[in-house]
PDB file of all heavy atoms in Angstrom:
ATOM      1  N   THR A  99      85.323 -30.166  14.660  1.00  0.00           N
ATOM      2  CA  THR A  99      84.032 -30.311  15.341  1.00  0.00           C
ATOM      3  C   THR A  99      84.201 -30.357  16.841  1.00  0.00           C
ATOM      4  O   THR A  99      83.509 -29.654  17.589  1.00  0.00           O
ATOM      5  CB  THR A  99      83.292 -31.570  14.856  1.00  0.00           C
ATOM      6  OG1 THR A  99      82.979 -31.421  13.474  1.00  0.00           O
ATOM      7  CG2 THR A  99      81.993 -31.761  15.647  1.00  0.00           C
ATOM      8  N   ARG A 100      85.127 -31.170  17.315  1.00  0.00           N
ATOM      9  CA  ARG A 100      85.380 -31.291  18.761  1.00  0.00           C
ATOM     10  C   ARG A 100      85.807 -29.962  19.365  1.00  0.00           C
ATOM     11  O   ARG A 100      85.350 -29.576  20.452  1.00  0.00           O
ATOM     12  CB  ARG A 100      86.460 -32.331  19.012  1.00  0.00           C
ATOM     13  CG  ARG A 100      86.159 -33.748  18.531  1.00  0.00           C
ATOM     14  CD  ARG A 100      85.325 -34.520  19.483  1.00  0.00           C
ATOM     15  NE  ARG A 100      85.422 -35.961  19.284  1.00  0.00           N
ATOM     16  CZ  ARG A 100      84.551 -36.848  19.750  1.00  0.00           C
ATOM     17  NH1 ARG A 100      83.521 -36.447  20.456  1.00  0.00           N
ATOM     18  NH2 ARG A 100      84.713 -38.143  19.536  1.00  0.00           N
ATOM     19  N   VAL A 101      86.704 -29.242  18.697  1.00  0.00           N
ATOM     20  CA  VAL A 101      87.176 -27.959  19.213  1.00  0.00           C
ATOM     21  C   VAL A 101      86.022 -26.946  19.290  1.00  0.00           C
ATOM     22  O   VAL A 101      85.870 -26.243  20.294  1.00  0.00           O
ATOM     23  CB  VAL A 101      88.316 -27.418  18.328  1.00  0.00           C
ATOM     24  CG1 VAL A 101      88.639 -25.958  18.714  1.00  0.00           C
ATOM     25  CG2 VAL A 101      89.564 -28.290  18.466  1.00  0.00           C
ATOM     26  N   CYS A 102      85.192 -26.911  18.268  1.00  0.00           N
ATOM     27  CA  CYS A 102      84.025 -26.005  18.281  1.00  0.00           C
ATOM     28  C   CYS A 102      83.138 -26.317  19.459  1.00  0.00           C
ATOM     29  O   CYS A 102      82.632 -25.414  20.147  1.00  0.00           O
ATOM     30  CB  CYS A 102      83.267 -26.105  16.985  1.00  0.00           C
ATOM     31  SG  CYS A 102      84.092 -25.434  15.539  1.00  0.00           S
ATOM     32  N   LEU A 103      82.887 -27.596  19.704  1.00  0.00           N
ATOM     33  CA  LEU A 103      82.018 -27.998  20.819  1.00  0.00           C
ATOM     34  C   LEU A 103      82.662 -27.674  22.161  1.00  0.00           C
ATOM     35  O   LEU A 103      81.966 -27.274  23.098  1.00  0.00           O
ATOM     36  CB  LEU A 103      81.686 -29.478  20.716  1.00  0.00           C
ATOM     37  CG  LEU A 103      80.868 -29.889  19.497  1.00  0.00           C
ATOM     38  CD1 LEU A 103      80.894 -31.387  19.284  1.00  0.00           C
ATOM     39  CD2 LEU A 103      79.425 -29.424  19.660  1.00  0.00           C
ATOM     40  N   PHE A 104      83.967 -27.866  22.248  1.00  0.00           N
ATOM     41  CA  PHE A 104      84.676 -27.547  23.480  1.00  0.00           C
ATOM     42  C   PHE A 104      84.562 -26.057  23.791  1.00  0.00           C
ATOM     43  O   PHE A 104      84.303 -25.656  24.945  1.00  0.00           O
ATOM     44  CB  PHE A 104      86.136 -27.942  23.347  1.00  0.00           C
ATOM     45  CG  PHE A 104      86.984 -27.642  24.549  1.00  0.00           C
ATOM     46  CD1 PHE A 104      86.905 -28.439  25.683  1.00  0.00           C
ATOM     47  CD2 PHE A 104      87.859 -26.573  24.553  1.00  0.00           C
ATOM     48  CE1 PHE A 104      87.680 -28.160  26.797  1.00  0.00           C
ATOM     49  CE2 PHE A 104      88.626 -26.279  25.675  1.00  0.00           C
ATOM     50  CZ  PHE A 104      88.556 -27.068  26.806  1.00  0.00           C
ATOM     51  N   LEU A 105      84.719 -25.216  22.782  1.00  0.00           N
ATOM     52  CA  LEU A 105      84.599 -23.750  22.978  1.00  0.00           C
ATOM     53  C   LEU A 105      83.154 -23.393  23.341  1.00  0.00           C
ATOM     54  O   LEU A 105      82.955 -22.507  24.193  1.00  0.00           O
ATOM     55  CB  LEU A 105      85.030 -23.035  21.715  1.00  0.00           C
ATOM     56  CG  LEU A 105      86.504 -23.162  21.333  1.00  0.00           C
ATOM     57  CD1 LEU A 105      86.797 -22.479  20.010  1.00  0.00           C
ATOM     58  CD2 LEU A 105      87.408 -22.571  22.440  1.00  0.00           C
ATOM     59  N   LEU A 106      82.189 -24.064  22.730  1.00  0.00           N
ATOM     60  CA  LEU A 106      80.793 -23.835  23.121  1.00  0.00           C
ATOM     61  C   LEU A 106      80.576 -24.212  24.583  1.00  0.00           C
ATOM     62  O   LEU A 106      79.872 -23.521  25.323  1.00  0.00           O
ATOM     63  CB  LEU A 106      79.867 -24.655  22.208  1.00  0.00           C
ATOM     64  CG  LEU A 106      78.377 -24.577  22.504  1.00  0.00           C
ATOM     65  CD1 LEU A 106      77.868 -23.136  22.379  1.00  0.00           C
ATOM     66  CD2 LEU A 106      77.598 -25.488  21.589  1.00  0.00           C
ATOM     67  N   GLY A 107      81.206 -25.295  25.007  1.00  0.00           N
ATOM     68  CA  GLY A 107      81.099 -25.725  26.395  1.00  0.00           C
ATOM     69  C   GLY A 107      81.691 -24.690  27.352  1.00  0.00           C
ATOM     70  O   GLY A 107      81.113 -24.417  28.413  1.00  0.00           O
ATOM     71  N   LEU A 108      82.813 -24.083  26.956  1.00  0.00           N
ATOM     72  CA  LEU A 108      83.408 -23.029  27.789  1.00  0.00           C
ATOM     73  C   LEU A 108      82.459 -21.833  27.884  1.00  0.00           C
ATOM     74  O   LEU A 108      82.324 -21.229  28.970  1.00  0.00           O
ATOM     75  CB  LEU A 108      84.750 -22.606  27.228  1.00  0.00           C
ATOM     76  CG  LEU A 108      85.909 -23.617  27.335  1.00  0.00           C
ATOM     77  CD1 LEU A 108      87.171 -23.028  26.740  1.00  0.00           C
ATOM     78  CD2 LEU A 108      86.132 -24.026  28.788  1.00  0.00           C
ATOM     79  N   CYS A 109      81.795 -21.507  26.796  1.00  0.00           N
ATOM     80  CA  CYS A 109      80.813 -20.441  26.844  1.00  0.00           C
ATOM     81  C   CYS A 109      79.683 -20.768  27.809  1.00  0.00           C
ATOM     82  O   CYS A 109      79.176 -19.878  28.502  1.00  0.00           O
ATOM     83  CB  CYS A 109      80.230 -20.186  25.450  1.00  0.00           C
ATOM     84  SG  CYS A 109      81.363 -19.411  24.281  1.00  0.00           S
ATOM     85  N   THR A 110      79.295 -22.042  27.852  1.00  0.00           N
ATOM     86  CA  THR A 110      78.266 -22.483  28.800  1.00  0.00           C
ATOM     87  C   THR A 110      78.732 -22.329  30.234  1.00  0.00           C
ATOM     88  O   THR A 110      77.974 -21.881  31.107  1.00  0.00           O
ATOM     89  CB  THR A 110      77.888 -23.945  28.515  1.00  0.00           C
ATOM     90  OG1 THR A 110      77.570 -24.098  27.131  1.00  0.00           O
ATOM     91  CG2 THR A 110      76.678 -24.341  29.338  1.00  0.00           C
ATOM     92  N   VAL A 111      79.986 -22.691  30.502  1.00  0.00           N
ATOM     93  CA  VAL A 111      80.534 -22.549  31.856  1.00  0.00           C
ATOM     94  C   VAL A 111      80.558 -21.105  32.270  1.00  0.00           C
ATOM     95  O   VAL A 111      80.174 -20.740  33.406  1.00  0.00           O
ATOM     96  CB  VAL A 111      81.965 -23.166  31.900  1.00  0.00           C
ATOM     97  CG1 VAL A 111      82.591 -22.880  33.254  1.00  0.00           C
ATOM     98  CG2 VAL A 111      81.890 -24.681  31.665  1.00  0.00           C
ATOM     99  N   TRP A 112      80.972 -20.222  31.370  1.00  0.00           N
ATOM    100  CA  TRP A 112      81.015 -18.784  31.744  1.00  0.00           C
ATOM    101  C   TRP A 112      79.602 -18.231  31.841  1.00  0.00           C
ATOM    102  O   TRP A 112      79.364 -17.255  32.588  1.00  0.00           O
ATOM    103  CB  TRP A 112      81.845 -17.993  30.745  1.00  0.00           C
ATOM    104  CG  TRP A 112      83.253 -18.475  30.684  1.00  0.00           C
ATOM    105  CD1 TRP A 112      84.001 -18.724  29.594  1.00  0.00           C
ATOM    106  CD2 TRP A 112      84.107 -18.841  31.802  1.00  0.00           C
ATOM    107  NE1 TRP A 112      85.241 -19.220  29.920  1.00  0.00           N
ATOM    108  CE2 TRP A 112      85.337 -19.278  31.263  1.00  0.00           C
ATOM    109  CE3 TRP A 112      83.954 -18.836  33.175  1.00  0.00           C
ATOM    110  CZ2 TRP A 112      86.381 -19.715  32.076  1.00  0.00           C
ATOM    111  CZ3 TRP A 112      84.990 -19.301  33.979  1.00  0.00           C
ATOM    112  CH2 TRP A 112      86.186 -19.694  33.444  1.00  0.00           C
ATOM    113  N   GLY A 113      78.668 -18.821  31.133  1.00  0.00           N
ATOM    114  CA  GLY A 113      77.269 -18.417  31.309  1.00  0.00           C
ATOM    115  C   GLY A 113      76.793 -18.775  32.721  1.00  0.00           C
ATOM    116  O   GLY A 113      76.060 -18.018  33.337  1.00  0.00           O
ATOM    117  N   MET A 114      77.226 -19.909  33.220  1.00  0.00           N
ATOM    118  CA  MET A 114      76.867 -20.300  34.583  1.00  0.00           C
ATOM    119  C   MET A 114      77.513 -19.349  35.589  1.00  0.00           C
ATOM    120  O   MET A 114      76.896 -18.994  36.604  1.00  0.00           O
ATOM    121  CB  MET A 114      77.267 -21.750  34.834  1.00  0.00           C
ATOM    122  CG  MET A 114      76.779 -22.290  36.181  1.00  0.00           C
ATOM    123  SD  MET A 114      74.984 -22.308  36.336  1.00  0.00           S
ATOM    124  CE  MET A 114      74.571 -23.832  35.493  1.00  0.00           C
ATOM    125  N   PHE A 115      78.752 -18.927  35.299  1.00  0.00           N
ATOM    126  CA  PHE A 115      79.384 -17.933  36.177  1.00  0.00           C
ATOM    127  C   PHE A 115      78.583 -16.620  36.173  1.00  0.00           C
ATOM    128  O   PHE A 115      78.341 -16.032  37.243  1.00  0.00           O
ATOM    129  CB  PHE A 115      80.817 -17.672  35.682  1.00  0.00           C
ATOM    130  CG  PHE A 115      81.542 -16.581  36.433  1.00  0.00           C
ATOM    131  CD1 PHE A 115      82.191 -16.844  37.620  1.00  0.00           C
ATOM    132  CD2 PHE A 115      81.547 -15.266  35.959  1.00  0.00           C
ATOM    133  CE1 PHE A 115      82.844 -15.846  38.323  1.00  0.00           C
ATOM    134  CE2 PHE A 115      82.183 -14.274  36.657  1.00  0.00           C
ATOM    135  CZ  PHE A 115      82.849 -14.551  37.834  1.00  0.00           C
ATOM    136  N   PHE A 116      78.185 -16.197  34.983  1.00  0.00           N
ATOM    137  CA  PHE A 116      77.415 -14.955  34.861  1.00  0.00           C
ATOM    138  C   PHE A 116      76.094 -15.068  35.612  1.00  0.00           C
ATOM    139  O   PHE A 116      75.670 -14.149  36.313  1.00  0.00           O
ATOM    140  CB  PHE A 116      77.166 -14.676  33.386  1.00  0.00           C
ATOM    141  CG  PHE A 116      76.265 -13.504  33.103  1.00  0.00           C
ATOM    142  CD1 PHE A 116      76.682 -12.208  33.354  1.00  0.00           C
ATOM    143  CD2 PHE A 116      75.005 -13.690  32.569  1.00  0.00           C
ATOM    144  CE1 PHE A 116      75.853 -11.135  33.090  1.00  0.00           C
ATOM    145  CE2 PHE A 116      74.166 -12.640  32.289  1.00  0.00           C
ATOM    146  CZ  PHE A 116      74.588 -11.334  32.562  1.00  0.00           C
ATOM    147  N   LEU A 117      75.421 -16.201  35.454  1.00  0.00           N
ATOM    148  CA  LEU A 117      74.146 -16.406  36.171  1.00  0.00           C
ATOM    149  C   LEU A 117      74.378 -16.407  37.668  1.00  0.00           C
ATOM    150  O   LEU A 117      73.596 -15.767  38.430  1.00  0.00           O
ATOM    151  CB  LEU A 117      73.534 -17.734  35.716  1.00  0.00           C
ATOM    152  CG  LEU A 117      72.282 -18.198  36.447  1.00  0.00           C
ATOM    153  CD1 LEU A 117      71.150 -17.158  36.326  1.00  0.00           C
ATOM    154  CD2 LEU A 117      71.814 -19.577  35.923  1.00  0.00           C
ATOM    155  N   GLY A 118      75.414 -17.092  38.139  1.00  0.00           N
ATOM    156  CA  GLY A 118      75.690 -17.134  39.577  1.00  0.00           C
ATOM    157  C   GLY A 118      76.018 -15.778  40.149  1.00  0.00           C
ATOM    158  O   GLY A 118      75.556 -15.408  41.220  1.00  0.00           O
ATOM    159  N   ARG A 119      76.813 -15.005  39.394  1.00  0.00           N
ATOM    160  CA  ARG A 119      77.184 -13.667  39.897  1.00  0.00           C
ATOM    161  C   ARG A 119      75.957 -12.752  39.899  1.00  0.00           C
ATOM    162  O   ARG A 119      75.798 -11.933  40.809  1.00  0.00           O
ATOM    163  CB  ARG A 119      78.264 -13.072  39.005  1.00  0.00           C
ATOM    164  CG  ARG A 119      78.740 -11.700  39.482  1.00  0.00           C
ATOM    165  CD  ARG A 119      79.991 -11.227  38.760  1.00  0.00           C
ATOM    166  NE  ARG A 119      79.785 -11.107  37.342  1.00  0.00           N
ATOM    167  CZ  ARG A 119      80.720 -10.641  36.505  1.00  0.00           C
ATOM    168  NH1 ARG A 119      81.920 -10.337  36.966  1.00  0.00           N
ATOM    169  NH2 ARG A 119      80.450 -10.498  35.212  1.00  0.00           N
ATOM    170  N   THR A 120      75.081 -12.900  38.923  1.00  0.00           N
ATOM    171  CA  THR A 120      73.872 -12.054  38.866  1.00  0.00           C
ATOM    172  C   THR A 120      72.934 -12.366  40.029  1.00  0.00           C
ATOM    173  O   THR A 120      72.375 -11.469  40.642  1.00  0.00           O
ATOM    174  CB  THR A 120      73.145 -12.272  37.530  1.00  0.00           C
ATOM    175  OG1 THR A 120      74.024 -11.977  36.449  1.00  0.00           O
ATOM    176  CG2 THR A 120      71.919 -11.369  37.431  1.00  0.00           C
TER     177      THR A 120
END
Side-chain angles (χ1 to χ4, degrees):
T99 295
R100 300 278 200 197
V101 169
C102 291
L103 294 165
F104 179 76
L105 294 175
L106 177 62
L108 291 180
C109 288
T110 308
V111 173
W112 300 134
M114 187 62 83
F115 175 85
F116 175 69
L117 174 59
R119 183 169 61 176
T120 303

